[in-house]
């Protein structure tokens, strides 16, 4: 039996709060009474394991102000408001602010019990869902590895969380180095299969016959289970899926069909075809393609998410600087523009590479980011993408980077950063919230 939900009763009239409390206690609730909203606020925090019943007219903080405070700290907290007889505008206002329901005095105690039951049920569901989400985000540190605040990255994180909960097979595609393998790991780690095996197979790593055997036969003499068996109940990640020959594709299709639905073993197919101008649709048997691509994740190329470039660069520069025991280079305006305009054909992998070399360069005290980028592109032309980005995007990416750097240098001292960047606290707070920067990360 789950623990009883609490009911906090707030009323300045002693008779009233005691009779409500007695009645609800008789119905099996765990009640607690408060004479003022101020007292109640000391006990009711964001994850309060229960609901609130409050009078409206009280000396000191009144019921409406109390309700607003409660809603601002936890909008999922059910609050039942007791209004005076005929106080319709007040009741309407309370509902608008987010009250669960209201009761007009004098009320029938059974009505109160009914409402309290509904409210506590709702509360329990909300708290359970919240705990589940926390488990997922806490348990799956891999999601934290996915850096980037661009809308495309936000969507990717949501897709991973959603599809992670589902059972169907998934096709992941995108250019090289965009994070396909990382996304496949994340998909497994956030899902219900996280405690089961994750088996990663490079489909192009072996000649055709051998691949088929490894996947479906194993090596009984050596006691090696087939890969599909090793992945049982978990995730079988097939990288470079279109390297499978038609014969092996046919066996895979049979395996998928034999599994039925929901699939015991989830297949996450990773396709590397995008840069060759082909699609997995051309390279896979259509029936296999449709089975695998029912759910699809396409990783966006880095050049399409300018906001992420400087963030990724900085993050990895700090990481490498740590590793090499030196200071991370600070990126100036011009260098930032160059990073933003580079075409990044190797996407995040290439960017990590450039960040590492930039750190090594700055440790030696020579070289520029421009020269690194120049060396990256084989042509001697200045590095420029053909497609420009809106000015706003450069400005925001740069602003974010400056605040990030300055916070890092001042180890999270807001006052020092306000001072250096000549920003009022409020503006700084707003910008940090906008760019997803958290002070605790710099302390
Ligand atoms: N959003 C991201 N945040 C942080 N690191 C990332 C991100 N995306 C990719 N990476 C890192 O970039 C590198 C390349 O990613 P990954 O290997 O997943 O790419 P891929 O698309 O599978 O590449 P390939 O096509 O070559 O297999 C890895 O080190 C990965 O951890
Ligand atoms: Mg990969």
């Amino acid at each position: 039996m789950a623990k009883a939900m609490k009911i906090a009763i707030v009323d300045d009239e002693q008779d009233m709060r005691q009779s409500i409390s007695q009645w609800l206690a008789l119905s099996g609730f765990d009640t607690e009474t408060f004479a003022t909203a101020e007292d109640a606020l000391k006990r009711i925090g964001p994850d309060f394991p229960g609901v609130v019943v409050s009078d409206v007219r009280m000396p000191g903080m009144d019921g409406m102000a109390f309700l607003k405070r409660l809603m601002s700290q936890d909008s999922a907290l059910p609050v039942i408001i007791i209004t005076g007889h005929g106080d319709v505008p007040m009741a309407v206002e309370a509902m608008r602010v987010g009250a669960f329901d209201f009761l007009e005095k004098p009320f029938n105690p059974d009505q109160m019990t009914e409402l309290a039951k509904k409210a506590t049920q709702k509360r329990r569901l909300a708290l359970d869902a919240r705990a589940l989400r926390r488990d997922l985000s806490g348990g799956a540190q891999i999601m934290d590895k996915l850096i980037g605040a661009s809308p495309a990255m936000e969507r990717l994180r949501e897709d991973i969380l959603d599809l992670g909960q589902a059972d169907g097979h998934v096709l992941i595609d995108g250019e090289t180095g965009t994070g396909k393998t990382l996304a496949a790991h994340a998909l497994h780690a956030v899902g219900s299969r996280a405690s089961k095996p994750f088996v990663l197979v490079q489909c192009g790593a072996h000649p055709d016959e051998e691949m088929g055997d490894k996947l479906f036969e194993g090596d009984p003499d050596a006691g090696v289970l087939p890969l599909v068996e090793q992945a049982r109940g978990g995730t079988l990640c097939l990288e470079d899926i279109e390297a499978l020959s038609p014969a092996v594709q046919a066996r895979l299709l049979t395996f998928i069909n034999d599994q039925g639905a929901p699939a015991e073993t989830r297949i996450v197919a990773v396709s590397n075809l995008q840069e060759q101008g082909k699609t997995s649709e051309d390279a896979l048997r259509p029936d296999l393609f449709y089975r695998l691509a029912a759910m699809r994740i396409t990783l966006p190329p880095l050049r399409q998410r300018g906001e992420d470039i400087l963030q990724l660069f900085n993050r990895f520069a700090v990481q490498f600087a740590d590793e090499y025991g030196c200071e991370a280079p600070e990126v100036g305006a011009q260098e930032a523009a160059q990073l933003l305009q580079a075409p990044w054909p190797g996407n995040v992998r290439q960017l990590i590479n450039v960040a590492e070399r930039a750190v090594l360069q700055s440790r030696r005290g020579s070289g520029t980011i421009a020269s690194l980028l120049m060396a990256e592109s084989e042509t001697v032309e200045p590095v420029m993408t053909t497609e420009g980005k809106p000015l706003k995007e450069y400005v925001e990416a740069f602003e974010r980077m400056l605040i990030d750097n300055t916070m890092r240098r001042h180890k999270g001292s807001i006052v020092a950063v306000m001072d250096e960047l000549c920003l009022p606290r409020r503006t700084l707070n707003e910008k940090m919230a906008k760019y997803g920067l958290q002070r605790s990360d710099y302390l």
Side-chain angles (χ1 to χ4, degrees):
M1 194 24 213
K3 246 177 70 189
M5 283 265 136
K6 280 200 168 47
I7 302 204
I9 299 152
V10 190
D11 199 316
D12 55 315
E13 285 172 59
Q14 192 182 3
D15 289 354
M16 192 65 177
R17 59 176 188 269
Q18 260 167 8
S19 65
I20 298 176
S21 168
Q22 274 164 13
W23 186 260
L24 290 174
L26 279 176
S27 313
F29 291 105
D30 179 6
T31 62
E32 194 170 355
T33 56
F34 302 93
T36 66
E38 287 85 349
D39 284 348
L41 278 172
K42 287 182 199 140
R43 295 295 301 271
I44 302 173
D47 283 317
F48 182 69
V51 307
V52 177
V53 174
S54 173
D55 191 18
V56 176
R57 295 186 196 279
M58 296 185 284
M61 183 186 286
D62 70 6
M64 286 308 294
F66 179 47
L67 175 63
K68 284 179 192 159
R69 278 285 287 277
L70 290 173
M71 290 297 97
S72 71
Q73 67 176 21
D74 181 349
S75 62
L77 176 70
V79 180
I80 297 166
I81 293 288
I82 302 172
T83 61
H85 177 60
D87 225 346
V88 179
M90 189 80 93
V92 170
E93 175 63 4
M95 295 305 285
R96 198 188 60 78
V97 172
F100 177 76
D101 212 334
F102 65 92
L103 273 180
E104 215 179 79
K105 277 192 258 191
F107 53 84
N108 173 345
D110 287 330
Q111 268 181 306
M112 171 64 85
T113 315
E114 261 321 292
L115 266 187
K117 266 195 197 138
K118 279 197 214 147
T120 48
Q121 267 167 12
K122 178 172 178 220
R123 183 62 173 163
R124 196 184 294 283
L125 288 177
L127 289 181
D128 284 353
R130 197 175 280 175
L132 186 68
R133 274 202 305 277
R134 275 189 198 143
D135 265 9
L136 286 179
S137 52
Q141 294 128 321
I142 191 159
M143 290 301 279
D144 294 342
K145 284 200 194 162
L146 281 173
I147 301 165
S150 62
M153 279 305 293
E154 294 293 349
R155 212 168 320 117
L156 177 68
R157 272 189 213 98
E158 273 168 30
D159 282 352
I160 289 176
L161 285 174
D162 283 349
L163 298 190
Q165 295 305 305
D167 270 318
H169 308 304
V170 183
L171 180 72
I172 300 181
D173 57 6
E175 292 180 12
T176 185
T178 45
K180 297 185 295 295
T181 303
L182 186 58
H185 278 283
L187 203 56
H188 177 79
V190 302
S192 50
R193 297 162 191 270
S195 59
K196 303 282 174 53
F198 177 86
V199 176
L200 188 87
V201 183
Q202 293 294 343
C203 294
H206 302 282
D208 183 41
E209 267 302 296
E210 219 177 296
M211 200 64 237
D213 287 350
K214 279 192 186 298
L215 276 170
F216 303 105
E217 312 290 339
D219 186 351
D221 296 338
V224 178
L225 288 173
L227 292 166
V228 293
E229 210 44 55
Q230 291 179 27
R232 185 193 271 280
T235 302
L236 179 67
C237 178
L238 299 173
E239 290 237 72
D240 206 2
I241 178 89
E242 43 287 295
L244 293 180
S245 70
V248 179
Q249 288 187 25
R251 291 178 79 178
L252 180 60
L253 184 64
T254 309
F255 170 76
I256 290 175
N257 288 337
D258 287 351
Q259 273 206 106
E264 187 183 9
T265 302
R266 172 180 235 184
I267 297 183
V268 173
V270 179
S271 160
N272 278 323
L273 277 185
Q274 272 209 351
E275 52 251 73
Q276 297 159 35
K278 285 195 258 166
T279 63
S280 355
E281 242 163 319
D282 307 325
L284 294 177
R285 299 170 55 115
D287 41 8
L288 179 62
F289 174 80
Y290 287 113
R291 296 309 294 268
L292 293 175
M295 301 187 209
R296 192 162 180 176
I297 293 180
T298 300
L299 278 290
L302 190 57
R303 63 182 169 282
Q304 280 175 15
R305 39 193 175 105
E307 302 104 300
D308 294 346
I309 294 177
L310 296 179
Q311 191 185 354
L312 279 158
F313 183 87
N314 265 335
R315 188 74 81 86
F316 283 103
V318 169
Q319 202 169 304
F320 285 119
D322 257 9
E323 221 169 277
Y324 292 115
C326 58
E327 290 287 306
E330 271 200 26
V331 179
Q334 197 177 350
E335 291 169 318
Q338 281 157 344
L339 286 170
L340 285 168
Q341 288 180 308
W344 300 114
N347 293 294
V348 184
R349 182 179 296 112
Q350 184 189 10
L351 182 93
I352 295 175
N353 231 302
V354 170
E356 179 169 15
R357 280 182 289 141
V359 168
L360 288 173
Q361 263 188 1
S362 98
R363 191 169 66 156
R364 278 201 314 270
S366 68
T368 61
I369 287 177
S371 63
L372 278 178
L373 290 173
M374 201 80 96
E376 285 290 298
S377 63
E378 278 144 5
T379 57
V380 200
E381 315 245 321
V383 209
M384 284 283 181
T385 37
T386 40
E387 5 161 12
K389 294 182 184 68
L391 177 64
K392 185 160 172 277
E393 203 172 298
Y394 288 105
V395 173
E396 289 186 345
F398 188 63
E399 188 173 71
R400 184 190 191 288
M401 186 191 72
L402 263 182
I403 297 175
D404 183 26
N405 280 341
T406 316
M407 283 294 285
R408 183 144 31 88
R409 202 154 7 84
H410 292 295
K411 303 198 163 45
S413 159
I414 295 282
V415 177
V417 175
M418 284 161 49
D419 212 40
E420 179 170 331
L421 299 179
C422 299
L423 279 179
R425 181 183 295 268
R426 174 148 177 199
T427 314
L428 179 60
N429 281 341
E430 281 167 2
K431 290 194 187 295
M432 286 183 63
K434 171 172 166 196
Y435 297 128
L437 300 172
Q438 266 162 3
R439 177 164 176 263
S440 54
D441 290 341
Y442 300 94
L443 299 176

